[in-house]
Amino acid sequence: MKTLLTRRQAALALGAVAATPALARGNAIDWHALGEDVKNEMRWAWANYREHAWGKDDFKPVSGGNRSFPLKDHHLGLSLIEAMDTLWVMGLDQEFADALGWVKANADFDVDGEVSVFETEIRLVGGLLSAHHACGDPVLLAKARDLADRLLPAFDTPTGMPYRYVNLRTKAVRDPISNPAEVGTHIAELGTISTLTGDRKYYDAAKRAMVAMYDRRSKAGLLADTIDVRTGQWGSRRATIAPPSDSYYEYCWDGWQLFGDHDFKAMYDTLTAPILRHQIAHANGQLWFVDVDFETGKQLSTEQDELASFYGGLLAQGGAGATGAAYTRAWASVQAKYGILPEGYDYATGKPTYVTNALRPELADAAFNHWLLDGRTEWRLLGRTHFLNMKRWNRARYGYTDMANVVTKAQADHCPGYWWSEQMKYYYLLFSDTKRFDYKDNYLSTEGNVLKGFRR
Ligand code: DMJ
């Protein structure tokens, strides 16, 4: 009996939940208790971060060390800022107040150092804005605006598409060879600053960059994945829904969802139709999206990037629910196989191409978006498996860590900032039915930052 039970539990943890009818319906699950479990894990990880890496950017939960990001050798409190709205929505109010105190006393972006415009936007500007949405403290908005002002010089190019890097103090820019995601993942954050301050320049800069990218789509309607922001010339032929293009498509939809700007809806629809036409591949009863030549639509490979596993949720948001669900289910089958998604997977061979996993949230993100739209228990169960498998394999001495190898389950030693903002929030919102969140009218950014939908 003991052995049987253990095998069954292992099968459940690996995602074979459909085997048990009561579980498949979600009847046997105390969702509230599961939400409390997520909250307790957050509280525990936060206490360790508080003790060992307070105010540092990224925490190393195996060794207790830390590392700076996005600046080299200077910390901006990245994990702390990314965690804030998650702490708030979980009702961890003392922890939130503690973090707010740190931001007020210590967050200073006047640093002579270079940052990625994209990463700083989605993580730090977005983190400050979602914390502001949670509590309304004007200092948070002022700091988000100050940081955005330091990023804006990067958008001062002939095309309006931003350089990849900018020095926060000198405003010196670097690296014009960019891509759709880094060019076009700014509208949620910059647009929110415009809404809150009444100054249109942020919204306009972000939109101009997105439109410049959109205008350069091929006759087939596809975007390549490398572009020179000075000239607008493409530097590659690969069209992909994975990085470095992924969140560009997301922000086309989001510009519509968050601001009601019809231009973004038209851009999303116009760009998604050729993706559905040229990039879908069927294999073994599953639906995948493949990389193709952006002019001919010719398939380039069968390799899949874990980071693209969010895309099914986006398709569902955009109205292609059945296709989105089929794609998410394809990824769910990989999760069922390995417990944790490998960063790279080839559906033709059925084998991983990269065995690492950087504590990724994308499949939980998709599950959450599907569930918000159709309320199917299937998605809650998918999120539950994602969470339980993370608890089983990614939990380390001081928190949650990335994986060096999802096959052998060897841990590495890094908790990326997005962990605090993304999957812990998706799990909690999926399971808890919290009153602090409006499940009908909300917006979460590509980094999981809640910019609409908190109920104070
Ligand atoms: C996050 O920083 C964001 O979701 C981004 O859009 C790409 N993926 C990482 C987490 O994997």
Side-chain angles (χ1 to χ4, degrees):
M1 185 62 192
K2 195 164 182 289
T3 319
L4 256 182
L5 200 66
T6 308
R7 272 203 202 121
R8 186 166 158 266
Q9 283 169 336
L12 291 175
L14 280 163
V17 285
T20 316
L23 262 183
R25 289 192 300 274
N27 296 346
I29 294 163
D30 182 343
W31 293 106
H32 176 75
L34 198 59
E36 286 303 295
D37 194 10
V38 176
K39 178 174 170 174
N40 287 334
E41 290 306 292
M42 183 78 178
R43 188 191 280 118
W44 166 75
W46 178 260
N48 277 309
Y49 170 77
R50 180 81 179 79
E51 187 180 343
H52 300 283
W54 190 229
K56 300 296 182 196
D57 288 334
D58 280 349
F59 185 37
K60 296 186 171 188
V62 175
S63 61
N66 60 74
R67 77 180 199 200
S68 66
F69 181 84
L71 285 163
K72 271 201 192 89
D73 307 323
H74 185 100
H75 292 264
L76 297 171
L78 174 74
S79 289
L80 182 150
I81 290 172
E82 294 230 45
M84 286 182 77
D85 71 330
T86 309
L87 293 170
W88 184 86
V89 83
M90 290 180 176
L92 295 170
D93 294 335
Q94 189 49 53
E95 286 83 351
F96 180 86
D98 210 9
L100 180 59
W102 185 93
V103 170
K104 287 186 167 182
N106 299 293
D108 179 3
F109 304 116
D110 186 22
V111 183
D112 186 2
E114 185 184 69
V115 294
S116 155
V117 176
F118 162 76
E119 298 287 5
T120 306
E121 189 81 83
I122 65 170
R123 294 164 183 248
L124 286 162
V125 177
L128 290 164
L129 289 173
S130 59
H132 174 264
H133 179 43
C135 71
D137 193 311
V139 172
L140 292 163
L141 175 58
K143 293 211 184 261
R145 187 179 192 174
D146 170 62
L147 185 53
D149 284 336
R150 296 172 189 279
L151 302 182
L152 275 188
F155 291 76
D156 188 11
T157 63
T159 64
M161 294 189 280
Y163 279 86
R164 297 184 66 213
Y165 298 97
V166 67
N167 182 300
L168 289 176
R169 181 177 293 162
T170 68
K171 319 280 166 71
V173 292
R174 183 175 69 80
D175 199 352
I177 308 304
S178 195
N179 54 67
E182 292 189 58
V183 162
T185 313
H186 304 277
I187 191 66
E189 294 79 12
L190 294 183
T192 295
I193 295 178
S194 284
T195 303
L196 293 171
T197 63
D199 186 340
R200 289 273 313 185
K201 76 176 176 205
Y202 306 97
Y203 188 94
D204 290 345
K207 184 172 176 179
R208 183 171 172 236
M210 290 178 81
V211 171
M213 173 63 64
Y214 172 78
D215 285 345
R216 286 166 174 81
R217 68 195 182 282
S218 71
K219 285 205 177 70
L222 297 166
L223 303 174
D225 68 355
T226 309
I227 199 159
D228 187 326
V229 303
R230 297 163 304 185
T231 63
Q233 296 298 308
W234 291 114
S236 72
R237 302 188 60 85
R238 185 178 76 129
T240 182
I241 58 153
S245 299
D246 48 355
S247 51
Y248 174 75
Y249 301 110
E250 191 178 354
Y251 270 32
C252 286
W253 179 259
D254 293 5
W256 159 244
Q257 186 190 338
L258 191 53
F259 304 111
D261 185 329
H262 290 270
D263 293 346
F264 288 118
K265 170 85 164 56
M267 287 162 63
Y268 176 83
D269 289 342
T270 303
L271 291 170
T272 303
I275 291 172
L276 296 176
R277 192 176 315 128
H278 296 291
Q279 294 190 242
I280 289 178
H282 295 276
N284 304 318
Q286 292 177 337
L287 183 151
W288 296 100
F289 283 87
V290 292
D291 296 348
V292 299
D293 183 286
F294 83 126
E295 286 178 332
T296 66
K298 184 173 178 286
Q299 184 173 326
L300 300 178
S301 84
T302 51
E303 193 175 338
Q304 304 290 310
D305 187 326
E306 187 280 343
L307 281 141
S309 63
F310 82 99
Y311 190 67
L314 175 61
L315 282 178
Q317 286 180 297
T323 305
Y327 183 55
T328 302
R329 287 183 190 122
W331 279 110
S333 77
V334 183
Q335 175 173 265
K337 211 161 154 183
Y338 300 103
I340 302 168
L341 294 182
E343 294 275 339
Y345 178 74
D346 190 331
Y347 69 76
T349 62
K351 296 213 166 76
T353 51
Y354 292 97
V355 293
T356 56
N357 180 292
L359 198 54
R360 294 289 185 191
E362 283 74 21
L363 193 57
D365 183 352
F368 176 60
N369 277 320
H370 283 299
W371 180 74
L372 276 182
L373 288 161
D374 66 19
R376 288 171 60 95
T377 301
E378 171 186 5
W379 308 122
R380 259 186 158 178
L381 290 169
L382 180 57
R384 174 179 178 269
T385 303
H386 200 272
F387 170 61
L388 294 180
N389 290 1
M390 182 188 77
K391 254 183 93 173
R392 179 173 175 190
W393 286 302
N394 298 79
R395 204 176 198 276
R397 184 171 182 192
Y398 300 117
Y400 281 85
T401 185
D402 57 345
M403 300 298 291
N405 189 319
V406 300
V407 179
T408 64
K409 304 294 185 295
Q411 294 185 340
D413 185 14
H414 178 221
C415 180
Y418 51 75
W419 180 82
W420 302 93
S421 181
E422 293 206 54
Q423 57 262 60
M424 293 305 277
K425 188 184 291 131
Y426 306 142
Y427 303 143
Y428 187 73
L429 292 176
L430 258 176
F431 309 146
S432 70
D433 285 325
T434 175
K435 289 190 168 53
R436 289 195 173 189
F437 185 71
D438 184 339
Y439 284 86
K440 296 220 152 47
D441 188 17
N442 55 68
Y443 170 78
L444 277 73
S445 75
T446 190
E447 191 76 357
N449 287 308
V450 180
L451 299 180
K452 185 176 161 191
F454 278 158
R455 286 174 169 159
R456 283 190 220 151

